[in-house]
Amino acid sequence: MLYCSTTSIHPSILKTLTPHHNQLNPSKSKPSKSLRQEITTRIKCFNSRIQKKSEPRDYYEVLGVSTDSTSQQIKEAYRRLQKQHHPDIAGDRGHEYTLLLNEAYSALMREDFRRKYGGGGGGGGGGGKRREGFGSNFSGMGYSSWNGPVRPQALFVDENRCIGCRECAHNASETFMMDEDLGCARVRVQFGDSEKKIEVSVDSCPMNCIHWVESEELPLLEFLIRPQPKEAHGVFGGGWERPADVFAAAKYLQKQLKQQQEQKQSPTGQAHAEVETPAQAEARYQAGLKLQWRQFHEMWGWITGLLGRETS
Amino acid sequence: MAEQFYTVASDSETTGEDKAQTPLPNLAIGIDIGTSKCSVAVWNGTQVELLRNTRNQKLMRSYVMFKDDLPSGGVSEETAHDEKDILSGSAIFNMKRLIGRMDTDQVVHASKTLPFLIQTLDIGVRPFIAALVNNVWRATTPEEVLAIFLLELKGMAEMHLKCPIRNAVLTIPVSFSRFQHTRIERACAMAGLHVLRLMPEPTSVALLYAQQQQQLLHENMGSGCEKVALIFNMGAGYCDVAVTATAGGVSQIKALLGCPVGGEDILQNVLRHLLPNLDSFCADHSIEKIKSMGLLRIATQDAIHKLSRGQNVHINVDLADGTKVSRTLDQPEFEKVNEMVFEQCENLIKQCLLDAKLTAEDINDVILVGGCSNIPRIRSLVLGLCKKEEPYKDIEPLEAAVHGAALEGAIALGISDPSGSLDLLTIQATPLSLGIRADGDTFVPIIHRNTAIPARKEVVFTTSQDNQTEALIAVYEGEGMSVVENHLLGFFKVTGIPPASKGTAEISVCMDIDAANVLRVLAGVLMPGGKRALPPFIEVRMPTLDHGHGWCGQALVKLYGTALDLATIPKKMQR
C-alpha cells in the first residue's frame, strides 16, 4: 500500500494519508471509467475473445434472476450461488463460474446503482415480462357464501361432470342454484338448508359430482371451476376453458401459491437454495467449456509455435 | 537454504512409525501470528478449539530466543522467558513488522530502537538483523525467526491433536504486499506447513461474525436479512479496517484497508516522549543500554496498559548511565503524544466506509478486535465515526482472528458439519489495486482494490513506439498514481509484436486471482482481424521478484528507456 511500504523514505506517512486518499478518490472514478468500458467490451480473457459482448441480460441469466428483480434479490441469488460454486466449497472447478458470478454481480449492482440514482435507467430494467401463470388473478375469495359459521367441510359441485339434472337444486333450493348459461348446478350458500335436505340432495346426484371438501380448499376450487377466458390468436383459440381435473389443478395451484408466499416471507430465499435454473446450468456449462477451450488454445498455440520454428 | 534444519523433532519422538503409514488427516490449523502474541486454533469436529501450550496459555508471546545453540520460541517450555530476557537482545520479536520489508522502509527504521540489532543501508535490500548470543551478534532473517516460531507452534498442535499437521490458514495484516505474502509462505514452508490461505485479519473476524449471525438465525433470534459490520482490528503492529455484509452465512467483504500502525508505534511515541534522545540512546547497542532500555520499555508498556483504565500513571525508571525517568503520564498527554496514530485510524475508517459506498447509518455492528481496541480513545473514535453507542459484544477481541482462521481452514478443506455451523463462506476482496506500468510511469490498474475474489480482468494496451516488436509488462501493486509509489511484483517481455506504427498493435494483459489469492498475469499479442494464428501467450505467476525491487524498475528504465513501453488505448478508439 502506498503509505506503508513505498521505497521512498517518507517520515510523514501520517500526513500523506489524508491528501492522498482525497486525491485518490475522484481519480479512481475517472480513469476507471474508461477502463470499465474497456472491460465490458473486452471482458473475457483472450481465450474467449471471440465471444460477443456480454449483454446485461446475460448477467441476469448467470444469476438466475429476472430483469426486474431488485438489488436485494440479486444479492440473494449471488450469495446463494456463491455458496454452491465458490472454490472454497466446490474446489477449483468452481473458479471459472465464480468469476462469471462476480462479474455479473458487480455489473448488475452498478446498473442498479445507476437506476436507483436516476441515471440511465435503460439498462435492462423494467423490460422483464413476468409470465402470468394460471390462476395469477386468484383473489383468495370463494364464490359461495356461508349460512352461519364457517365449518371445516364445505360443499362443492364439480361442474365439469354435472349434467344439469336439477336434482340438487330441487332438494335443497337455498343451497344450490342452477347456472342457466352453463347448464350446471352450483353451491350458492353453504349450509343454506338443513343438513338433512343437503344430504338428500348430495345422494340424489346421478353423477356423484357433489363433493364434501375442506373449507380451506373451497375458494381455490370455486375459483378454478369458473371458466377463464382463453388467449386468442386470430381466429384460433379464444373462448373459455377450465381445468379438466379441478382437484389436481387446485393442488398444483396451492403448491405454487405456497411457494410464492414462502419466498415473500423468507428473504434469504433458502427455500430454493439447491435449485439451479436452466440458465444457470447453461452458464456453468459454458464456463466449463471455456476452460477446456483454453487448454486447447494453449496447445494449438504451442503447436503452431513449434511448426513455425521448424519451418523457419 | 538450510531447510533440513527445520525437521519436526516431535515427529520421530512420538509413535513415528504409525504416522508414516497413515495418510495425513484432513485437518488444518488456524494460526494468528500477532506482532506480540500468537495463537493456534483448530476445528475439532464440532467447534473451534484454541490450543494451549504446556503453561496453559492460549496466547503466546511471539519471540525467538537465541540464547543457546538451539534457538527456541518458548512455546512448549515449562518456564517462560520473562519480558526482561526477551528484551535482553538475545531474542528477536516483532517479526511481523519486519518480514518482507526493505531497509528503506519506514517501519524498519522505526524498529531500530528494539533491543536486538537492525542495520539498514538504505539501498532497498533486506535489513540485517542479529541477536546477541554469548556476546556475539548472530545474524538471522525475519523469515528464519518466524519459521522457528511456527515450527514450535506446529509441534504444539501436533502434540495436542496427536497427528502430523500440514495445512494451515494464517491471518495477515491487510496492508501486507504480495511480496510479504511470499515471505510468510516461505517461513511456513521452512516450518513444514502448507499455506492453505492467507487471510486478512479482519476478514477472518468477519467469518466468525457470519457464523454467529447464522447461529442466531437458527435459534430464531436473529433476522434473516443482511447485516453490515465494520471490523476494526488494531494489534501491536498493524491497524486494519474492513466492512462486511453478512447474510445466510456468507460474509461478503465490501472493502478493506490497512496500514502498519499499531501498539508498537504508540509505545515508541511514548518512549520518545519520555526520553527525547531515544535514537541516540539506542544507537550503540551496548549491553548496559539494552538492559536499561528494556526496563524503560517494560515500564512504559505497563503504563499504557494502566492508562486504558485509569486517568494517570507514574513511571519511574533508573537508566544505567545516570539518566532517570520519573514522571506522571496522564490521559490527555498520552492522547496528544499519539495524536497522529489516532488520526491515521480515523482516516482508515472514513476511507473504508467510502470504499464500501456506505455511511455510518448503514452499519449494524461495530466489531473491535486486537489489543489496542482497549485504548479508550480508540474505542470512542471508532464508535463515534460509526455513530454507535456500544461495540458488538459476542466477539473475544484477542481470539477472534484465530477463531476465524480455523473456521476457514475447515471450510477450505471441505469439511462439512451436520449441524450446519460450517455452512459458511467468505467472499474476499483484493486489498490493493493491481496493474501495470503504461504511458510512461503511470500505474494503470487492471484489477481495482476491493474487487471480489476470484477476479479476472483483461485490458488491451498498445505500443508506444513505431515498429515496436517487444513490450515490457511490469506488474505493480498499490494505490499510487505513479509506479514508483507502488510495489513492483515482477516483469516479463511480450515478443513477436508485428511491426507497425505506434498505437496499432494490440497487447492483451489479463490478470487472474483465484480463491487462494494467487495472482497470474497472462499477456500476449492480439492479431488484428484474427487472420493469423496467435503466438503463444505468456503466463506468469506473481510475484516473481525477490527483494531489491526498487532497483529492478530503475535498472529497466536505465537500460531500455522507453523502447519497450506500453500505452493505454485512447477511449474513443475503443469499441
Side-chain angles (χ1 to χ4, degrees):
Chain A
M1 190 159 285
L2 69 149
Y3 44 81
C4 75
S5 33
T6 45
T7 46
S8 58
I9 311 159
H10 224 302
S12 59
I13 37 167
L14 310 156
K15 280 262 183 257
T16 52
L17 189 78
T18 335
H20 224 115
H21 272 306
N22 289 347
Q23 198 180 57
L24 211 132
N25 256 313
S27 66
K28 199 181 158 223
S29 61
K30 229 181 178 179
S32 66
K33 204 169 177 191
S34 67
L35 268 174
R36 186 179 299 160
Q37 213 144 41
E38 194 169 79
I39 285 156
T40 34
T41 49
R42 302 172 190 277
I43 194 117
K44 298 284 147 51
C45 235
F46 45 83
N47 51 45
S48 55
R49 207 169 359 90
I50 305 101
Q51 263 198 1
K52 61 180 189 291
K53 185 187 165 200
S54 296
E55 299 274 331
R57 189 186 304 264
D58 299 339
Y59 290 142
Y60 286 107
E61 265 177 32
V62 168
L63 289 176
V65 292
S66 68
T67 46
D68 58 350
S69 42
T70 61
S71 64
Q72 195 56 39
Q73 285 168 323
I74 294 173
K75 266 186 205 168
E76 277 159 20
Y78 172 69
R79 291 212 177 99
R80 202 175 59 231
L81 289 167
Q82 277 277 13
K83 231 173 161 179
Q84 289 173 51
H85 303 295
H86 193 278
D88 272 4
I89 288 162
D92 284 342
R93 67 202 155 83
H95 179 63
E96 289 290 325
Y97 186 60
T98 316
L99 279 176
L100 211 63
L101 275 182
N102 279 343
E103 185 190 313
Y105 177 72
S106 62
L108 288 186
M109 288 320 270
R110 220 153 45 214
E111 205 168 83
D112 190 73
F113 200 73
R114 216 170 49 209
R115 208 161 57 203
K116 195 164 143 196
Y117 295 100
K129 182 189 164 199
R130 194 179 281 264
R131 275 240 340 240
E132 303 264 311
F134 198 74
S136 55
N137 46 359
F138 172 57
S139 65
M141 296 288 283
Y143 171 80
S144 58
S145 57
W146 286 78
N147 177 28
V150 174
R151 305 185 202 197
Q153 301 261 302
L155 278 172
F156 171 70
V157 182
D158 184 356
E159 293 174 33
N160 277 332
R161 298 186 59 197
C162 180
I163 51 170
C165 69
R166 293 171 184 266
E167 272 295 325
C168 50
H170 178 72
N171 285 321
S173 55
E174 288 299 308
T175 308
F176 296 97
M177 60 165 277
M178 287 303 294
D179 186 326
E180 301 298 344
D181 292 337
L182 296 169
C184 58
R186 181 173 304 151
V187 180
R188 188 166 58 116
V189 182
Q190 298 286 350
F191 300 96
D193 298 271
S194 68
E195 286 190 26
K196 195 162 183 203
K197 272 189 181 174
I198 291 169
E199 212 168 297
V200 171
S201 55
V202 170
D203 287 342
S204 69
C205 179
M207 299 306 293
N208 285 332
C209 67
I210 304 171
H211 301 271
W212 285 104
V213 297
E214 301 290 323
S215 299
E216 292 163 17
E217 291 173 13
L218 188 71
L220 206 60
L221 287 167
E222 285 187 342
F223 166 76
L224 282 172
I225 207 69
R226 299 303 300 263
Q228 300 288 322
K230 230 161 61 174
E231 204 183 340
H233 307 278
V235 290
F236 299 105
W240 302 79
E241 67 171 354
R242 58 183 172 200
D245 185 349
V246 68
F247 292 102
K251 223 178 230 169
Y252 176 70
L253 188 56
Q254 184 120 43
K255 215 165 98 188
Q256 272 197 328
L257 287 170
K258 214 167 161 182
Q259 275 181 0
Q260 268 176 28
Q261 223 153 28
E262 264 171 20
Q263 258 176 353
K264 261 184 221 156
Q265 274 164 4
S266 69
T268 40
Q270 277 167 339
H272 302 287
E274 300 307 313
V275 201
E276 196 176 33
T277 67
Q280 286 162 356
E282 168 70 14
R284 218 151 58 80
Y285 170 74
Q286 288 291 345
L289 208 66
K290 248 160 54 185
L291 201 69
Q292 288 168 359
W293 224 71
R294 183 168 107 196
Q295 280 165 359
F296 168 75
H297 209 105
E298 275 163 9
M299 190 65 126
W300 176 247
W302 181 72
I303 290 168
T304 47
L306 207 69
L307 287 175
R309 205 160 43 206
E310 271 171 17
T311 49
S312 64
Chain B
M1 290 291 282
E3 252 129 330
Q4 61 267 40
F5 281 127
Y6 306 101
T7 49
V8 183
S10 62
D11 253 0
S12 49
E13 281 165 16
T14 52
T15 63
E17 283 162 0
D18 296 356
K19 271 180 208 156
Q21 282 149 17
T22 49
L24 285 167
N26 199 22
L27 204 67
I29 52 172
I31 304 177
D32 176 25
I33 20 159
T35 310
S36 76
K37 297 250 168 85
C38 272
S39 47
V40 183
V42 71
W43 173 259
N44 67 6
T46 48
Q47 64 182 54
V48 172
E49 182 191 347
L50 260 75
L51 303 181
R52 290 167 188 271
N53 66 4
T54 43
R55 298 191 302 276
N56 205 26
Q57 286 176 313
K58 282 197 276 188
L59 300 169
M60 288 149 278
R61 181 87 170 86
S62 10
Y63 68 92
V64 169
M65 181 69 81
F66 285 82
K67 215 166 204 168
D68 309 309
D69 287 339
L70 205 67
S72 80
V75 169
S76 1
E77 270 155 49
E78 288 298 326
T79 50
H81 300 109
D82 67 5
E83 198 66 16
K84 234 180 249 174
D85 286 335
I86 296 170
L87 295 172
S88 67
S90 308
I92 307 262
F93 54 94
N94 278 12
M95 295 84 99
K96 207 160 99 177
R97 291 265 279 190
L98 296 169
I99 197 160
R101 290 193 188 275
M102 301 308 123
D103 62 0
T104 48
D105 199 309
Q106 185 59 34
V107 178
V108 174
H109 281 257
S111 302
K112 277 182 165 177
T113 55
L114 296 179
F116 54 92
L117 190 65
I118 299 178
Q119 273 186 8
T120 56
L121 292 164
D122 300 331
I123 54 167
V125 291
R126 190 157 59 185
F128 173 84
I129 291 169
L132 194 62
V133 188
N134 301 329
N135 220 11
V136 172
W137 289 110
R138 187 188 286 172
T140 180
T141 61
E143 290 88 341
E144 194 179 44
V145 175
L146 192 61
I148 294 167
F149 192 73
L150 283 170
L151 189 66
E152 287 198 17
L153 289 179
K154 185 185 163 205
M156 183 192 94
E158 282 172 339
M159 248 173 48
H160 267 275
L161 304 167
K162 299 183 177 60
C163 61
I165 289 164
R166 277 282 292 156
N167 297 317
V169 174
L170 280 87
T171 59
I172 47 157
V174 171
S175 60
F176 261 24
S177 69
R178 278 177 186 272
F179 174 62
Q180 283 173 305
H181 292 183
T182 66
R183 295 298 90 189
I184 296 277
E185 277 162 9
R186 173 102 191 108
C188 284
M190 284 158 97
L193 285 170
H194 169 240
V195 178
L196 215 55
R197 294 277 190 281
L198 288 178
M199 229 186 163
E201 276 153 29
T203 70
S204 112
V205 178
L207 187 62
L208 179 61
Y209 175 71
Q211 191 201 28
Q212 291 184 347
Q213 293 305 312
Q214 188 76 336
Q215 268 165 4
L216 282 182
L217 188 67
H218 284 313
E219 289 157 17
N220 284 325
M221 283 169 69
S223 59
C225 54
E226 183 181 87
K227 284 253 210 156
V228 179
L230 182 129
I231 297 155
F232 181 85
N233 171 36
M234 190 169 179
Y238 294 87
C239 176
D240 304 317
V241 186
V243 175
T244 173
T246 301
V250 180
S251 152
Q252 200 181 342
I253 306 299
K254 293 273 187 192
L256 71 171
L257 204 61
C259 71
V261 61
E264 182 65 32
D265 295 273
I266 293 175
L267 180 68
Q268 298 251 347
N269 286 341
V270 177
L271 279 177
R272 282 208 164 77
H273 181 66
L274 296 172
L275 193 71
N277 62 337
L278 180 75
D279 290 302
S280 60
F281 190 83
C282 299
D284 67 345
H285 271 91
S286 68
I287 293 174
E288 290 76 40
K289 289 269 175 71
I290 290 172
K291 205 174 252 172
S292 45
M293 258 315 291
L295 289 176
L296 185 62
R297 219 182 132 93
I298 294 169
T300 314
Q301 211 151 24
D302 216 40
I304 293 172
H305 286 212
K306 278 181 185 150
L307 273 180
S308 295
R309 292 181 294 274
Q311 271 306 308
N312 52 50
V313 65
H314 191 71
I315 300 165
N316 195 357
V317 183
D318 193 359
L319 301 175
D321 63 341
T323 7
K324 211 172 165 187
V325 175
S326 175
R327 60 180 298 172
T328 307
L329 188 71
D330 63 357
Q331 195 74 37
E333 199 178 355
F334 170 75
E335 283 174 15
K336 192 168 166 281
V337 167
N338 290 300
E339 197 51 52
M340 294 287 228
V341 173
F342 300 136
E343 204 175 289
Q344 214 164 350
C345 296
E346 200 172 326
N347 288 331
L348 276 184
I349 297 170
K350 281 183 187 160
Q351 184 63 38
C352 199
L353 282 174
L354 217 63
D355 285 352
K357 300 188 187 78
L358 294 172
T359 58
E361 284 76 21
D362 299 318
I363 306 285
N364 299 105
D365 285 311
V366 176
I367 304 172
L368 288 170
V369 283
C372 286
S373 60
N374 282 326
I375 297 174
R377 175 70 194 272
I378 299 245
R379 288 176 87 85
S380 63
L381 183 149
V382 181
L383 291 173
L385 280 174
C386 299
K387 296 180 184 155
K388 290 279 168 310
E389 296 294 315
E390 284 289 312
Y392 182 73
K393 280 207 183 67
D394 295 336
I395 277 185
E396 165 59 47
L398 298 179
E399 296 170 6
V402 73
H403 214 102
L407 282 178
E408 174 73 14
I411 295 162
L413 282 182
I415 298 170
S416 63
D417 180 58
S419 70
S421 44
L422 274 187
D423 191 17
L424 304 167
L425 176 69
T426 321
I427 303 171
Q428 294 277 6
T430 54
L432 297 167
S433 298
L434 292 158
I436 67 161
R437 177 179 177 270
D439 295 334
D441 269 340
T442 312
F443 170 67
V444 178
I446 293 179
I447 294 181
H448 289 266
R449 73 177 153 150
N450 298 325
T451 304
I453 297 175
R456 178 186 290 165
K457 291 267 168 75
E458 187 198 23
V459 174
V460 177
F461 293 88
T462 188
T463 49
S464 69
Q465 311 289 329
D466 287 333
N467 296 325
Q468 185 180 340
T469 56
E470 295 180 332
L472 190 72
I473 314 282
V475 181
Y476 285 86
E477 178 182 55
E479 302 301 327
M481 300 288 284
S482 158
V483 288
V484 292
E485 296 168 63
N486 297 335
H487 267 267
L488 181 61
L489 295 180
F491 44 83
F492 57 95
K493 220 161 60 169
V494 168
T495 55
I497 303 169
S501 57
K502 66 178 173 189
T504 46
E506 289 192 332
I507 296 123
S508 150
V509 181
C510 177
M511 288 190 177
D512 179 300
I513 301 176
D514 71 10
N517 201 16
V518 174
L519 169 69
R520 285 189 175 79
V521 180
L522 303 99
V525 191
L526 302 179
M527 288 297 171
K531 276 176 206 154
R532 274 159 51 194
L534 297 160
F537 276 69
I538 298 174
E539 181 183 314
V540 184
R541 191 181 154 156
M542 294 280 171
T544 56
L545 278 184
D546 266 8
H547 51 82
H549 61 268
W551 290 355
C552 298
Q554 286 161 22
L556 287 168
V557 170
K558 198 172 161 193
L559 197 58
Y560 298 102
T562 57
L564 300 181
D565 273 14
L566 282 174
T568 47
I569 295 179
K571 201 175 155 189
K572 60 173 189 255
M573 280 175 67
Q574 284 170 19
R575 214 202 65 70

